[in-house]
Amino acid sequence: MLASCRRVRLRFRSALATAAASPVEASISTSDSDVDPESHGPADATLLRRRMRASAAEGNLAAALDALALLRPAPAGAHDYNALLHAYLRSGQAAAQHVAAAEHVAAVLCHMRSVGPAPNALTFNTAFNGLLRLGHLDASHAVLEEMWSRCGFVPSFTTVDRLIKKAVSGSNFELALKVFDLMLSLCYFPTLPIANAIVSILLKSGSAEIAYEVFMVLVNRKFVPDVYMYNQILFGLCKSGCSNKALTLFCNLKKRGLSLNVYSYTALVLGLCKEKMWADAYRTLEKMCDEECKPSVVTYTVIVNFLCRDGKIDAAMHVFRMACKNGCCLDSTICNVLLHALCCEDRIPEAQVIVDLMEEAGLVPDYFTISSLAACFLKTGDVMTCQNFIRMVCNRSNHVDIITWNIYLHSLCCDGQVKKALALVSGMMERGLVPSTTTYNTILKGFCMELDLQGALQMLDHFSSTGVPCDSVSFNTILSAACRQQNASVIRMVLYRMHVEGINLDAISMTCLLRYFHKCGKFAESVNLVESLRIQGSLLFVHGT
């Protein structure tokens, strides 16, 4: 759609440029008339004007212009051409011709500029209204630009506002930004919904700093924004790593006396945490409490999440306890974030405390809660507890996703039950869960743990039959097991399959092969492997092994 609108605008402007370059050629060709060109009677003028309107209403601009050219004694005026444009743009022919309609309007304007009379403000308004009604938004914008920048007529606020609303509602964001720029040139204020829409467009396109500059231009011109607008910009600046500008905007808003709410502070906390400015983030949290702007669970979640990412689990627990002490209404998100971090650090007792708090708060465990706990049990080597926990969850509810199933399959493989794990895959599919590459890689690893390389190779064939693609992990798993067992035939088969699948050797597969050659005492092959990979940068087949 955008490409089509650009073509219309270019054709429209091209037609106008052609008129300026060659006035004679720009005029629309006319046909012979049965009216005497020397006629000076008012009755004939009335007849010609009727004929002009009729021809324009039929979409025949050549005949309409021909009728105007024969007017005597006074030549056709701007009001005659305005009537022509009005009749043409309301005709069914203009609606049917679509792109050509914009070009025809441009040709009429060119004719007026080159031959006369000069177009007036009503001419441009008539052309604009007609093109806008037909959906030619880019051509409508070109008319306004011509009206303002070249002819000096000032479009009304209502006119420009109608166009920008059409552009925004039609998701023509490129045009919306151009019309917004025109509004600023005309010293018009956009309506609050339009200003919010423009800010959203800029933020979604990754232009948070431009959105900030636009906002400052508006407020410096006494535009009154709402809290939704500048909260958007605060979040956009913080997410894009411009915390300093976000802090500047925050202070500017306070100085202007604009109201700030919990989301304004949360945006600032987000930016400070993202840049690991923990002391400033804590001060902001204290400031919220001092100004009676109580931090929400989202505010606490932001801090806890970034602390956990940075490995500061104790600090995250401190913030969590602060949230509980201040009467914050906990949700599953903050509990899951902390639960996952604790499980990864094998801090089971503290994780159990979080689970107890969730139960007290009436929070139902979701996919993230279950997978975090199951992975924690498995990581600590408590395989049976992991299996029992997942089975209990399955019996009580349907809150089991593919990640939790993969953990359960991995626990079975760790317990030497790889065949049971493989049989359960069909049961997963009956539940509507589609096995992923990770699912099959888990079972593949189980076969390798049981030293069943033939079963692992058959598993690779099973990948192809189910339509699940193999990845480098799949081949590296078998290659590593084959190299440990010094099984040259399986190594050759895996390397061939990697070649067929288009998967090159990576650091893991290279290391496996080098260890294999070293165990076999084939140091020359090790050197050849490294040299071949250095020169070719691709797969090396193992010969004579």
Side-chain angles (χ1 to χ4, degrees):
M1 183 184 75
L2 290 177
S4 175
C5 289
R6 290 192 193 99
R7 288 195 294 270
V8 171
R9 186 170 65 252
L10 290 173
R11 290 174 182 171
F12 192 96
R13 290 177 176 171
S14 176
L16 294 176
T18 303
S22 51
V24 177
E25 294 178 4
S27 60
I28 298 178
S29 60
T30 59
S31 58
D32 295 336
S33 173
D34 58 352
V35 178
D36 184 3
E38 299 299 325
S39 174
H40 300 287
D44 292 333
T46 303
L47 176 64
L48 287 170
R49 286 188 170 93
R50 287 177 181 172
R51 179 174 296 178
M52 175 271 293
R53 290 190 180 92
S55 298
E58 294 173 357
N60 190 346
L61 284 180
L65 288 172
D66 180 58
L68 290 182
L70 296 174
L71 284 175
R72 297 292 186 277
H79 64 281
D80 293 311
Y81 284 91
N82 294 347
L84 181 150
L85 286 172
H86 182 268
Y88 171 70
L89 289 170
R90 286 193 169 273
S91 68
Q93 189 71 13
Q97 290 174 339
H98 195 62
V99 175
E103 296 176 347
H104 290 163
V105 171
V108 172
L109 294 177
C110 293
H111 181 85
M112 294 179 70
R113 275 209 339 237
S114 59
V115 179
N120 57 23
L122 185 58
T123 308
F124 289 108
N125 283 330
T126 302
F128 170 81
N129 290 329
L131 291 171
L132 188 66
R133 187 177 62 82
L134 294 174
H136 296 292
L137 302 187
D138 280 71
S140 301
H141 174 246
V143 168
L144 294 185
E145 288 285 358
E146 179 78 7
M147 178 182 183
W148 160 244
S149 61
R150 186 157 186 168
C151 297
F153 297 113
V154 180
S156 67
F157 170 78
T158 304
T159 299
V160 183
D161 186 58
R162 285 172 60 205
L163 180 57
I164 198 169
K165 284 179 179 176
K166 287 266 190 181
V168 170
S169 64
S171 299
N172 192 340
F173 300 138
E174 180 185 356
L175 176 61
L177 294 176
K178 291 180 179 178
V179 180
F180 181 71
D181 184 60
L182 176 62
M183 292 188 83
L184 295 181
S185 300
L186 294 169
C187 297
Y188 290 150
F189 282 159
T191 60
L192 190 57
I194 291 299
N196 281 329
I198 293 297
V199 168
S200 296
I201 291 169
L202 291 170
L203 292 174
K204 287 178 181 177
S205 64
S207 304
E209 294 182 77
I210 297 177
Y212 166 66
E213 293 170 4
V214 167
F215 176 80
M216 293 308 300
V217 168
L218 289 174
V219 295
N220 287 335
R221 294 185 183 183
K222 310 303 180 185
F223 177 81
V224 182
D226 62 358
V227 66
Y228 173 74
M229 178 185 291
Y230 46 79
N231 278 353
Q232 281 190 93
I233 301 173
L234 282 170
F235 272 108
L237 289 171
C238 291
K239 288 178 180 178
S240 59
C242 301
S243 297
N244 289 334
K245 286 190 176 181
L247 186 58
T248 301
L249 175 59
F250 187 88
C251 296
N252 193 302
L253 293 170
K254 292 198 71 170
K255 185 178 179 181
R256 292 175 184 270
L258 295 172
S259 63
L260 297 168
N261 60 18
V262 63
Y263 297 104
S264 311
Y265 283 95
T266 301
L268 190 59
V269 168
L270 171 66
L272 295 172
C273 290
K274 190 171 184 180
E275 297 189 16
K276 300 182 180 181
M277 301 167 66
W278 304 117
D280 293 327
Y282 294 146
R283 276 195 293 270
T284 304
L285 202 60
E286 293 173 1
K287 192 74 173 176
M288 293 178 71
C289 298
D290 294 340
E291 296 185 0
E292 297 183 355
C293 183
K294 187 178 179 181
S296 68
V297 66
V298 177
T299 313
Y300 288 114
T301 302
V302 168
I303 300 178
V304 168
N305 183 38
F306 279 98
L307 285 171
C308 290
R309 287 185 186 182
D310 200 36
K312 301 180 183 297
I313 310 299
D314 291 330
M317 285 293 293
H318 173 71
V319 174
F320 182 79
R321 284 191 288 268
M322 184 191 305
C324 297
K325 182 180 178 181
N326 293 338
C328 178
C329 185
L330 301 177
D331 63 4
S332 297
T333 304
I334 188 171
C335 294
N336 286 337
V337 168
L338 200 52
L339 190 62
H340 177 72
L342 291 170
C343 290
C344 290
E345 295 291 326
D346 295 339
R347 297 167 67 165
I348 308 303
E350 292 167 286
Q352 184 61 49
V353 171
I354 301 298
V355 174
D356 293 340
L357 284 174
M358 291 180 70
E359 291 182 355
E360 291 177 9
L363 299 175
V364 179
D366 56 14
Y367 299 119
F368 302 102
T369 313
I370 295 167
S371 59
S372 295
L373 288 172
C376 178
F377 293 135
L378 190 59
K379 186 178 179 181
T380 56
D382 202 343
V383 177
M384 291 305 299
T385 302
C386 174
Q387 294 176 8
N388 293 334
F389 173 71
I390 296 177
R391 279 196 291 263
M392 177 192 70
V393 172
C394 290
N395 293 332
R396 291 185 178 182
S397 66
N398 291 321
H399 289 294
V400 179
D401 61 354
I402 188 64
I403 297 175
T404 309
W405 269 112
N406 288 342
I407 294 172
Y408 183 64
L409 294 174
H410 182 50
S411 70
L412 290 175
C413 292
C414 292
D415 200 27
Q417 303 183 61
V418 63
K419 293 183 179 179
K420 180 179 179 181
L422 182 59
L424 280 175
V425 173
S426 58
M428 289 170 53
M429 298 177 71
E430 292 176 2
R431 288 172 174 257
L433 294 172
V434 179
S436 62
T437 302
T438 304
T439 307
Y440 287 119
N441 283 342
T442 301
I443 300 175
L444 196 63
K445 185 177 180 180
F447 278 112
C448 293
M449 290 170 65
E450 295 185 4
L451 307 180
D452 187 357
L453 294 182
Q454 292 303 318
L457 290 174
Q458 291 175 5
M459 194 66 203
L460 276 183
D461 296 330
H462 188 67
F463 270 72
S464 303
S465 63
T466 56
V468 178
C470 303
D471 59 9
S472 58
V473 176
S474 313
F475 291 108
N476 286 342
T477 300
I478 304 180
L479 186 62
S480 175
C483 289
R484 284 197 300 270
Q485 296 181 39
Q486 300 183 22
N487 193 325
S489 61
V490 173
I491 293 174
R492 283 195 295 269
M493 292 178 65
V494 172
L495 292 175
Y496 175 75
R497 287 288 297 271
M498 291 177 72
H499 176 70
V500 172
E501 297 287 343
I503 297 176
N504 295 329
L505 289 172
D506 57 15
I508 296 175
S509 48
M510 285 173 58
T511 303
C512 293
L513 287 173
L514 288 172
R515 285 177 176 172
Y516 164 71
F517 286 134
H518 179 73
K519 285 182 179 179
C520 295
K522 299 181 179 181
F523 301 108
E525 283 81 353
S526 299
V527 174
N528 291 337
L529 172 62
V530 175
E531 184 65 18
S532 177
L533 290 171
R534 185 184 67 81
I535 296 174
Q536 301 177 14
S538 60
L539 178 67
L540 172 72
F541 287 96
V542 182
H543 297 289
T545 55

